Amino acid sequence: MTRALTIHQNNIHLFFQMLEENVGIALDHSKEYLVASRLAVIARANHFKDHHALIQHLLVNPIGILHHQSFQAMTTNETMFFRDKFPFDTLRTTIIPALIAKCRDTKTLSIWCAAASSGQEPYSLAILLRENFPELYYWKINFIATDISEPALKQARSGTYSETEIKRGLTDEQIKRYFKLLPNGQYEINAELRQMIRFESLNLVKDWPVMPKFDLILIRNVLIYFNAETKAKIFNKLRLQLVDDGGCLLLGSSESILYDQSFKVQQADRVSYYCKDVSKESLS
Ligand SMILES: C[S@@+](CC[C@H](N)C(=O)[O-])C[C@H]1O[C@@H](n2cnc3c(N)ncnc32)[C@H](O)[C@@H]1O
């Protein structure tokens, strides 16, 4: 019995390592209950005796579909429309007006919403753009949103939400204006907003595909799950992914960039955001 426990604990430890290596999420043993309950569902659906048997299978086999399902089960997809409100106020009053002034000649704006979960965050930004900046209707907006979770991306692409989901963060007026009630009781976002955003799969801790440079990157409420080394690597890559002249980076409210002088922190109302500081590029 004791020996079995030790083997199980050792396997869970190895699974945590595998998870961190492949997804960046750093869990410790206080989260064993989470692993047990979330993997138990996948174990049952795939005819394993229990989650320990599933973990044993994952550890001895090359990375495949079951691994991805198990990793995705460990991610937290919590999100909502206009989450935290203040960053969206700052986008409206400060960041987007500055980007419009900067990009006026080309009339092109490139936006990346990374770790976008089921789409509420990029759709909130799309609604904000349409409600407050009518001139952008005639601009070219390159707007991509990415996540590692296939189920989350599937929902994001469909632009379809339950009543509970749309009531989290949207006003009645916005629901009426931008959503259609489907016969199954779900609400579908209008086609114009849906077509504004391209949803793609992207794992932040693996090689990124070739992408254009962005004027604005939102990467909110995901870096908290990563260790310091992983975060530093991601910040380096984000810096390269921002345009040199005034590219902006917006993080979650409990996240910040420490000790990286190549980003200049900006403060607007209660919100901090970061701009690429080209003069300090060689320092990092
Ligand atoms: C808590 S949600 C945040 C969603 C949204 N950004 C927000 O603030 O409301 C975190 C998201 O990060 C995604 N995620 C976790 N690890 C990731 C990785 N290595 N690469 C890309 N996305 C990841 C999860 O799938 C999840 O959808």
Side-chain angles (χ1 to χ4, degrees), residues 163 166-167 169-179:
E163 186 172 353
I166 51 160
K167 288 203 162 151
L170 292 173
T171 62
D172 289 346
E173 185 53 38
Q174 286 168 328
I175 294 172
K176 216 161 29 182
R177 192 175 313 154
Y178 300 111
F179 289 81

Side-chain angles (χ1 to χ4, degrees), residues 23-25 75-80 83 114-117 121 147-149 202-205 220-222 225-226:
V23 185
I25 296 177
T75 62
T76 302
N77 299 112
E78 164 62 15
T79 188
M80 62 180 276
R83 181 174 187 175
S117 189
E121 183 176 63
D147 201 273
I148 196 175
S149 161
L202 184 145
N203 183 346
L204 289 163
V205 303
R220 302 170 65 225
N221 305 305
V222 63
Y225 299 109
F226 300 162

